[in-house]
Amino acid sequence: AMAAATERALRVSTLVYLLDEPRGLVLLAMKKRGFGVGKVNGPGGKALPGESAADCARRECAEETGLTPVGLRPMGVLEFLFPGRPEWDQACHVFTAAAWTGTLAESDEMAPEWHSVRELPLDRMWEDDRLWLPQLLQLGVPVHMRVAFDPESMTVLTSERT
C-alpha cells in the first residue's frame, strides 16, 4: 500500500531548522493550533500553488517565528503517509539555515523556543523525529525517508529509508 501512494503527486510541505551554530542551538516551536497541536516541531507548512519548497520554507518560517532564513540548505525529503487519510499525505522538504533576518516573535500558530541540538525535546515532538533529526542537526546527515502514521494516534506504523 505504501508503494502505491508514491504513484500520485504528494502535496509539498516544508520543515525549517534555524541553527545558531556558535551556540549549538536550533529553533523549534510548539504548535498552538491546527494539525499537530501541542507538538514541538520546526517551523514550516504547506506550499501554496506554484510556490517552490524553498520559498514556502522562507514564508512559513517568517510567518510563524518572525525570522526569515537566509542561505537555506536542502537536507532531504520525508514522505509522510496517513493510511485512510490520503488528504494528509505529503512530501516534506527539510531545510536548515545558519543565518536569518528579522526579530523572533510568537505567532498565533507557533510559540518558538531555542533548544540545544544535543538535548532535543523528543518526547514532545513527532515520533519519527527521533529516527533522523538528531543525526541531521548534530552531524549534518540528510534525511530521505518514508513514514506511515496511524491517523488516529499519530504514532509511527512503518518507516523506511528511501
Side-chain angles (χ1 to χ4, degrees):
M2 289 182 73
T6 59
E7 291 166 14
R8 59 191 164 76
L10 294 179
R11 132 187 139 190
V12 171
S13 66
T14 57
L15 275 172
V16 191
Y17 297 96
L18 297 186
L19 294 169
D20 181 337
E21 291 179 332
R23 291 160 60 204
L25 301 177
V26 60
L27 186 67
L28 301 174
M30 196 273 288
K31 190 82 186 287
K32 293 162 63 175
R33 60 181 171 87
F35 193 77
V37 65
K39 292 190 187 293
V40 173
N41 204 0
K46 296 187 286 288
L48 301 172
E51 184 179 40
S52 73
D55 285 344
C56 171
R58 280 187 282 268
R59 175 183 57 77
E60 287 279 355
C61 191
E63 288 175 1
E64 293 177 350
T65 70
L67 302 181
T68 301
V70 175
L72 282 174
R73 300 181 288 217
M75 293 299 291
V77 178
L78 291 152
E79 288 182 33
F80 292 134
L81 304 176
F82 296 84
R85 298 301 297 264
E87 69 275 15
W88 291 358
D89 293 353
Q90 54 198 277
C92 182
H93 294 248
V94 181
F95 297 90
T96 60
W100 52 85
T101 58
T103 304
L104 188 64
E106 185 165 335
S107 64
D108 58 355
E109 189 172 6
M110 298 285 262
E113 44 191 54
W114 290 99
H115 288 270
S116 166
V117 297
R118 308 228 162 253
E119 297 175 26
L120 299 171
L122 291 169
D123 56 333
R124 298 165 56 206
M125 301 177 76
W126 284 88
E127 187 186 353
D128 69 289
D129 287 359
R130 67 194 62 223
L131 303 175
W132 58 271
L133 187 60
Q135 299 93 304
L136 185 143
L137 296 180
Q138 296 168 17
L139 303 173
V141 178
V143 60
H144 297 279
M145 187 174 278
R146 182 176 299 126
V147 183
F149 289 93
D150 181 320
E152 301 300 319
S153 63
M154 295 299 186
T155 54
V156 172
L157 295 171
T158 60
S159 64
E160 58 185 331
R161 302 268 169 185
T162 56

